[in-house]
Each structure stands twice: as structure tokens, then as C-alpha cells.
Amino acid sequence: MTKSINPGTAKTSRRNVLWGSVLAGAAAMTGAGAMSAVRAPRMTGINASSAKLYKAAAEKAVETTAKPANLSGYTRVKQELVAPPFAPAHEQVATGGPKIIEITMETTERLMVVDEDTGASVWALTFNGSVPGPLIICHEGDMVELTLRNPADSMMEHNIDFHASTGALGGGGLTHVYPGEEAVLRWKATKPGCFTYHCAPGGAMIPYHVAHGMNGAVMVLPRDGLKDKDGNPLRYDSIAYIGEQDYYLPKDENGEYKYYETAGDDYADSIEAMRTLTPTHCVFNGAVGALTGENALRAKVGETVLMIHNQANRDSRPHLIGGHGNYVWEASFTESPMQDMETWFVRGGCAVAAMYTFEQPGVYAYVNHNLIEGVLLGATAHFVVDGEWDNELMEQVVAPRAFST
Ligand SMILES: [Cu+2]
């Protein structure tokens, strides 16, 4: 793939148009269509219908009788985003009035090894270089103000669709940035819960970017924090932010994973692999083993962990082996949490929060309890928990021994 077929390098006059996004969206479609004409001839129809959607959404956004947003009463703060599995510094209960939370993300394209054993690799399309992209945390009533930058040496155009936001394709129509461009989007967090965000640059490029890692989560906390069904406060000691990623990595005629020189080179092969709907990998945080062994998550007996599980593309069923979901917010923080669950459900295109207080030391595997995906395809993380064993809860009464018949 050369940059010349990347629509992002084509100069247009789109910025002469108010908001820019009408043509940006349309250009994205044309671009994706042009690319697919070269690499995957049957994509045109899909891209054309997506183009209509983009155009309609962006036109709605540019209807200019809209009043300017009233930003009085908001305090501006910056949130330093950090790489997963960690969470940015935040308050569990909001102090003061609503905030405008300023964040910056870069759309970074980078070659990542997905499985060292097989050499499987992917040109990951990322927010800030990680799969998943960083966790963003705000409170209901805050505004998130994102500066989205696409570095000049990128091969592709990118944008972001925040499921937590309202309007204009979740911001997808207003954040479409070509290499060398930046855009700033502000949206109000009106619904409390955990939500996916992902890149959605149009047509077949939408699943292509999402299946190459371009997704992450926002947590919108209630202003007065999390509560159980009786209204009692629930607090956590730490957050484990886990992004589940399904990859569809092309193989050669010998069954070996293919290597590509540049981001986007795998486009036609990937589309073909994606059409099988059969992932070659389901991994946590980008790669096999990203959260096991030396990279395992850590906790102590008595500590409460909030596990945030993001899956932008596909259903999942997290299960903490040896533990439970004491409180699980499968849908939103508006609903009372479900309690004492063995396995919970993450709808594809969703992020879910589950809270657990460790009661025993040891290694806990956190898996997708489709165990084929959890074990064979990679969706396993480990918590290593220190502390005192409690024989009341479990005891090996007799160690394995031969028995006489
Ligand atoms: Cu993208």
C-alpha cells in the first residue's frame, strides 16, 4: 500500500464548508470506496449506504439555528490519560460543580505482535498507541472535550464515535481527521454507565478499524458515586481496565500468519478473514499474555477491584475463576447492579463494570467463559492476590492420594 491510494492525502476544499464534516464524511466514503475498488470490489454498496448515513448526520449537525452551548458554571480540568489496564486519576464522588474535562488522543498506527509463539502480528490502529484505547472517566453532567490528532505520517483517516454521547454519529461525523489534522469535540455526559468508543471512518473501514484495535471505554460515574440496590455507597480500591479484542489475522497458503509492511496493506485479506466472523484471536489488552505472567494484575485480600470490560465488536461473557461479580452493572449505572453473579454478559459494542472484593489469596483467572475463546484464542487475564488464606471459605481436607479399592 502506498500513501497515494490513501484518501487522507487528497486535498479537498472541505474545510471551506461550515463544520467540514459533510464533505469529510462523504470524502471518507469515496475514499473507502476507491480503496475497496482496488482491493475488494464488492464493498462499494456498503460504502455508499454508509455515505448517506454520514451525510445525513453531519447535515443535521450543521443546521445553524442552534444556540451556542452555555458553558457557564463549568470548571475546566485536564485528564491525563494512561495506558490500560490502568485508570486515570479521578474522584469516585464528584466534588464541586460540573467540569469540562479536557483530553487529548492521537490516532497511532503501529505494528504489534499479537502472539509471540506464532509470530502473529497486526498493524494496530489505536488511540494513544494502546489496544484498547485509554479509559476516560467523568461524572454525569460533565462535558468531555477531546482533541483528536491524526499524526502526519499516518496512512489512514480516523475519527471517534462515543457511545456515551448524543448526536452526529456519536461525534464520528465531526471528528473525521486526515493525516496531519486535528479536531476538537465537546460532548455532555448525560447517561451514567460504562460505554464503548471506537473509530468509525465509514463503510467497510468501520469494522476494519475496530477489528484492528481502535476502540476503548468511557466511564460516566453518577455524581454521588456508585451504589447498591438499597442506595448504600459502593467504593473500589482500584480499576482493572480490560479491553477484549477480536482479531481476524490473515494466513498464507501454509497456514502461517502473514506479515505486512505498512498499516492498511492487509486490507483486502483482512476483509476476507473478517467475513468468516471467526476470529483468529480473542485477546485482552491487545495481545496474548498482555495481562498474565509478569503482566498479571495485582491485588490484596480485602481489596475491591472494579473490572471494566470493553468489547466494541462482539459479545463476551467474563467470569472470574474463584471469584464472583459481587456487583455488576451490565447495562448502565442508572439501574441497580446485579449481585453475586458467576458470569456476566458484555454485548458487542458495550462496556460493563463488575465489582469484586478478593477474599482469598492466589491466582485468579479472569476469562471469557466461552472457554475456547478464553483459553485457545487468548482471552485470559490473571489477578495475583496476596494475603492470608481463609480455611472457613475453602480448605483442602485431603490432598490427592491413592485410594485402595
Ligand atoms: Cu481509525
Side-chain angles (χ1 to χ4, degrees):
M1 178 177 175
T2 62
K3 276 194 124 175
S4 60
I5 66 161
N6 186 298
T9 57
K11 293 291 171 215
T12 75
S13 59
R14 66 192 181 285
R15 295 299 182 234
N16 297 333
V17 182
L18 186 63
W19 289 93
S21 52
V22 176
L23 286 182
M29 296 310 108
T30 314
M35 189 174 191
S36 57
V38 175
R39 293 176 167 271
R42 292 184 191 282
M43 290 295 129
T44 318
I46 296 169
N47 288 332
S49 51
S50 188
K52 280 187 203 145
L53 179 71
Y54 258 71
K55 195 160 181 293
E59 276 169 356
K60 214 57 190 161
V62 299
E63 283 172 4
T64 53
T65 53
K67 287 188 235 131
N70 179 3
L71 304 182
S72 61
Y74 287 88
T75 311
R76 284 190 169 269
V77 295
K78 281 196 190 333
Q79 184 164 100
E80 294 301 329
L81 300 177
V82 297
F86 302 108
H90 65 285
E91 297 175 328
Q92 294 190 44
V93 175
T95 53
K99 298 180 177 67
I100 297 173
I101 297 175
E102 299 173 357
I103 54 171
T104 301
M105 293 209 286
E106 236 178 56
T107 60
T108 314
E109 303 162 355
R110 53 178 286 249
L111 186 65
M112 272 181 45
V113 175
V114 170
D115 185 352
E116 282 180 4
D117 287 347
T118 61
S121 64
V122 66
W123 273 94
L125 308 178
T126 76
F127 293 105
N128 281 4
S130 62
V131 178
L135 179 65
I136 301 160
I137 301 181
C138 65
H139 286 91
E140 187 180 3
D142 290 345
M143 292 187 179
V144 173
E145 190 171 286
L146 164 72
T147 300
L148 187 66
R149 290 204 175 117
N150 190 349
D153 60 357
S154 285
M155 298 301 289
M156 297 179 208
E157 62 216 57
H158 301 286
N159 69 3
I160 191 162
D161 166 1
F162 283 105
H163 287 197
S165 74
T166 306
L169 301 174
L174 306 175
T175 54
H176 206 101
V177 281
Y178 288 69
E181 289 187 335
E182 66 175 10
V184 181
L185 176 76
R186 192 181 59 242
W187 57 270
K188 187 168 182 176
T190 58
K191 312 255 186 247
C194 291
F195 298 86
T196 282
Y197 64 78
H198 62 89
C199 186
M205 282 297 185
I206 299 171
Y208 178 83
H209 285 230
V210 170
H212 282 65
M214 212 150 182
N215 59 81
V218 180
M219 177 162 71
V220 182
L221 286 164
R223 293 204 79 77
D224 52 355
L226 298 174
K227 289 182 179 156
D228 70 11
K229 62 180 170 28
D230 300 317
N232 300 308
L234 293 170
R235 301 289 174 260
Y236 45 85
D237 297 303
S238 64
I239 285 177
Y241 169 44
I242 296 161
E244 182 169 344
Q245 182 64 52
D246 45 327
Y247 290 121
Y248 305 78
L249 303 184
K251 292 179 181 167
D252 64 18
E253 54 282 359
N254 301 318
E256 301 289 329
Y257 288 105
K258 291 173 81 166
Y259 165 79
Y260 298 90
E261 286 289 330
T262 314
D265 275 356
D266 67 332
Y267 181 74
D269 293 344
S270 279
I271 294 290
E272 203 178 317
M274 285 156 56
R275 282 182 167 279
T276 66
L277 292 172
T278 306
T280 53
H281 301 80
C282 289
V283 296
F284 291 155
N285 291 19
V288 174
L291 295 176
T292 60
E294 284 180 3
N295 305 318
L297 300 154
R298 303 252 158 201
K300 292 190 176 68
V301 168
E303 279 186 2
T304 299
V305 178
L306 188 70
M307 300 166 281
I308 298 175
H309 192 117
N310 184 64
Q311 222 311 0
N313 198 54
R314 204 165 177 272
D315 298 344
S316 184
R317 307 131 200 94
H319 173 83
L320 180 65
I321 301 176
H324 299 94
N326 287 357
Y327 301 95
V328 178
W329 293 266
E330 227 180 59
S332 77
F333 293 144
T334 309
E335 301 290 323
S336 295
M338 292 185 277
Q339 285 188 218
D340 303 331
M341 298 189 75
E342 59 174 313
T343 298
W344 43 104
F345 187 57
V346 182
R347 299 155 184 80
C350 204
V352 165
M355 188 180 272
Y356 184 64
T357 305
F358 287 100
E359 298 183 58
Q360 295 276 39
V363 178
Y364 293 70
Y366 175 95
V367 299
N368 176 341
H369 212 288
N370 176 325
L371 293 168
I372 300 163
E373 295 172 9
V375 180
L376 299 186
L377 299 195
T380 295
H382 288 157
F383 284 92
V384 177
V385 180
D386 296 323
E388 284 294 313
W389 184 260
D390 182 352
N391 278 323
E392 297 281 340
L393 286 170
M394 184 182 281
E395 184 174 11
Q396 185 180 48
V397 181
V398 177
R401 65 184 178 194
F403 62 94
S404 46
T405 52

